[in-house]
Amino acid sequence: MSEKLVGKHLLLQPHLDDLPFSIGSILLEQYIKKEDSIVYTIFGKEFFNIRNYQHDENAMQILRQEEAKWFQSAGIKNHRFELEEAGYRGITSIRKLFRTKMADDFAMKYEELEYGNWEEVLACVKTILDSHSCDYVWIPAGVGGHCDHIAVRQAILELVSLFQGKGILFFEELPYSLYSKPLDWSKCVIPDFHLEERMVHTLSQEEETYKYESLKHFHSQIDDRQARALCHHPETVTLWMRNNQEE
């Protein structure tokens, strides 16, 4: 990673596992200091699982515990909001849930898509930005067009004037980036920021092993075959830097 990334880091993930799945090795290695990092989960009220757990409070508690175990083992501070994820909002159609053709629309008016709770997302993100002075904010890139990921991305882009830091980092989501086309960054315009670089981290054998073992915390979300696929795939982040930053 780049020496540009020295400073305080605020990381926003839509769901309990997005950061561990997508950039787990980047977070656990030398790229950013754990003591300078804080994570927020936005859509904390979720029940999705692959283990046939009932969609009830017990399932939600299992998911919360899995998230807590991963971040505790990583030594990274994690906070959460309990906004309802897409399933709770009645979005069960895959075609509606994953708007792949809209992933490159960085100027979309998210509220017009009628996914629900947009104002809550904006309020949460604003609260976070108001509460933390940070140099960098990490957000989902929107690969695959998952509506909850797009919501977090668009909230930061809409509230970007509140962010006074140096850079915005878009992490490319796994597993979606395994089978979705790359984003067209030429269609992205962020006032006062410019595209600096796309950083691709290929995991070492040691990192693959560690990530694989750490993903076992997410028993409700991923099976062994899927975990191995994530560990063999590079972790990718696209960095936008504020214009006229002093070297």
Side-chain angles (χ1 to χ4, degrees):
M1 279 289 180
S2 171
E3 292 181 358
K4 299 183 183 72
L5 299 184
V6 174
K8 299 289 186 180
H9 291 259
L10 171 65
L11 302 100
L12 308 184
Q13 63 169 6
H15 307 107
L16 77 160
D17 53 16
D18 289 319
L19 286 168
F21 283 13
S22 303
I23 53 171
S25 292
I26 288 176
L27 294 183
L28 295 174
E29 291 299 325
Q30 71 272 24
Y31 307 112
I32 60 178
K33 294 181 178 179
K34 297 177 184 179
E35 60 268 26
D36 291 334
S37 306
I38 187 168
V39 171
Y40 277 87
T41 302
I42 306 300
F43 297 97
K45 189 175 182 180
E46 55 179 318
F47 53 63
F48 173 81
N49 68 86
I50 65 170
R51 305 298 177 182
N52 295 318
Y53 300 155
Q54 293 295 315
H55 294 172
D56 55 21
E57 179 59 38
N58 289 332
M60 288 191 290
Q61 187 58 32
I62 291 172
L63 271 58
R64 293 187 190 105
Q65 291 172 353
E66 290 179 350
E67 175 188 40
K69 288 177 181 177
W70 192 93
F71 283 99
Q72 286 170 3
S73 67
I76 298 173
K77 296 178 182 178
N78 180 38
H79 302 274
R80 65 197 336 266
F81 286 88
E82 297 294 330
L83 270 64
E84 294 181 337
E85 67 160 348
Y88 261 110
R89 306 195 305 275
I91 306 168
T92 56
S93 165
I94 294 297
R95 185 169 296 179
K96 293 181 179 179
L97 182 65
F98 293 95
R99 305 292 284 272
T100 56
K101 293 182 179 180
M102 293 185 174
D104 289 329
D105 186 357
F106 294 91
M108 74 166 65
K109 296 298 182 183
Y110 188 84
E111 67 273 23
E112 296 176 2
L113 299 178
E114 298 182 348
Y115 280 126
N117 78 351
W118 170 240
E119 293 300 328
E120 289 182 274
V121 177
L122 276 180
C124 284
V125 172
K126 184 178 185 301
T127 296
I128 295 169
L129 291 176
D130 288 342
S131 302
H132 297 279
S133 176
C134 61
D135 297 294
Y136 299 93
V137 60
W138 299 59
I139 58 175
V143 175
H146 190 302
C147 62
D148 289 344
H149 292 225
I150 296 294
V152 176
R153 185 188 79 184
Q154 294 308 112
I156 283 291
L157 294 180
E158 184 156 330
L159 299 170
V160 70
S161 62
L162 301 180
F163 173 60
Q164 301 301 313
K166 300 176 182 178
I168 302 172
L169 295 107
F170 296 82
F171 62 88
E172 297 187 9
E173 301 96 313
L174 287 168
Y176 308 141
S177 58
L178 291 175
Y179 46 77
S180 299
K181 68 176 184 178
L183 293 178
D184 183 355
W185 290 105
S186 68
K187 296 182 178 180
C188 182
V189 176
I190 307 177
D192 299 322
F193 288 81
H194 66 273
L195 175 59
E196 180 78 6
E197 60 182 314
R198 186 169 179 263
M199 301 175 287
V200 180
H201 173 64
T202 300
L203 279 64
S204 67
Q205 183 62 55
E206 182 180 1
E207 288 174 322
E208 286 187 6
T209 300
Y210 189 93
K211 184 172 183 179
Y212 170 71
E213 291 298 325
S214 74
L215 292 183
K216 291 180 180 179
H217 286 303
F218 298 104
H219 176 74
S220 73
Q221 304 296 305
I222 193 170
D223 62 26
D224 187 75
R225 177 186 60 81
Q226 294 167 333
R228 292 186 185 279
L230 297 191
C231 297
H232 293 316
H233 195 75
E235 299 179 348
T236 304
V237 179
T238 299
L239 171 64
W240 286 68
M241 290 291 290
R242 186 176 296 279
N243 296 335
N244 302 317
Q245 284 290 301
E246 296 182 1
E247 296 295 331

